[in-house]
Amino acid sequence: MRVDLALIAGMIAPKARVLDIGCSDGTLIEHLFRTKQCDARGLDLDMGAVTQAVTRGLPVMQGDADTDLTAYPDNAFDYVVLSRTLQAVEKPREVLRQMLRIGTHAIVSFPNFGHWTLRLQLLVTGRMPMTSTWSRPWYETPNIHPCSICDFFALCETDGYKVEEWLAADEEGARTPWRRSQALANLFGEQGLFLLRKA
């Protein structure tokens, strides 16, 4: 299982109601069924991934986070998960607002565009950086709203979301040792992971 998904699973209480947005083939959903007996379901834009999940017996629907979350009733879930998808949606603020309308908690993970290697590549080459996470050239990437850990903290403060838990991690899953410093986490964390609720 992908590193951020394992960390997300650790934040979810047993037997919770979970919606995984951008769930791909349903790996997190299957894990939550098996290990925590959660009532989990998924939503993904990619019909191929949805088909793959459904053929494995997982409750996944084809849908768009930018437009389809409005169909869900208020407080329908305990957790709404958005893993490595925030930077690819058209309206990230509205998606977050909908997530915290339909769920008690929102869990969001994203690649950290403030990481030192990305800063250095941009400084040295003057071109958009590429790493194992940011692996496509700028003209092919689905990432239309890249952000940093500091950017995300600022958005939560602006929109009045309480950050209940957060961490920065590298691609191997090690938590960065900068837990008390947003600035250092922003510099050294390859990805950010946040557990939010309404303030």
Side-chain angles (χ1 to χ4, degrees):
M1 187 162 61
R2 210 172 65 203
V3 165
D4 63 315
L5 297 182
L7 293 170
I8 287 168
M11 293 180 164
I12 294 174
K15 299 183 178 177
R17 298 166 300 155
V18 181
L19 176 64
D20 184 5
I21 303 167
C23 65
S24 188
D25 66 356
T27 300
L28 177 62
I29 295 167
E30 187 172 42
H31 177 77
L32 293 173
F33 280 151
R34 193 175 64 252
T35 63
K36 296 196 169 186
Q37 296 76 51
C38 289
D39 174 8
R41 60 202 65 205
L43 184 73
D44 200 278
L45 191 60
D46 181 349
M47 194 59 196
V50 171
T51 302
Q52 187 179 1
V54 170
T55 57
R56 289 169 39 221
L58 300 173
V60 174
M61 293 174 39
Q62 198 272 337
D64 186 338
D66 279 307
T67 57
D68 295 336
L69 296 182
T70 57
Y72 290 93
D74 293 357
N75 304 310
F77 301 97
D78 300 307
Y79 299 89
V80 180
V81 176
L82 189 72
S83 59
R84 292 197 189 176
T85 305
L86 182 69
Q87 73 280 356
V89 299
E90 288 184 20
K91 301 175 229 164
R93 287 179 82 180
E94 177 61 15
V95 169
L96 282 171
R97 190 182 76 76
Q98 290 294 333
M99 288 173 69
L100 284 165
R101 178 187 66 78
I102 65 176
T104 305
H105 294 91
I107 301 177
V108 181
S109 72
F110 54 88
N112 175 30
F113 202 71
H115 191 265
W116 71 270
T117 57
L118 299 176
R119 298 184 197 198
L120 183 62
Q121 282 186 51
L122 191 57
L123 177 67
V124 171
T125 68
R127 299 180 64 187
M128 289 303 293
M130 289 180 64
T131 67
S132 58
T133 304
W134 300 90
S135 58
R136 298 186 195 176
W138 65 269
Y139 49 84
E140 290 181 358
T141 181
N143 300 318
I144 57 175
H145 292 295
C147 72
S148 70
I149 288 170
C150 286
D151 286 327
F152 194 77
F153 270 112
L155 175 62
C156 290
E157 184 175 350
T158 298
D159 287 355
Y161 303 138
K162 181 179 180 185
V163 177
E164 291 198 334
E165 189 178 339
W166 71 276
L167 61 92
D170 64 22
E171 286 303 309
E172 282 71 49
R175 294 176 186 221
T176 57
W178 319 111
R179 178 64 183 83
R180 289 185 169 79
S181 169
Q182 293 176 22
L184 290 175
N186 193 52
L187 188 59
F188 294 108
E190 291 180 88
Q191 57 186 319
L193 178 59
F194 288 75
L195 173 65
L196 310 175
R197 73 179 305 155
K198 288 181 185 174

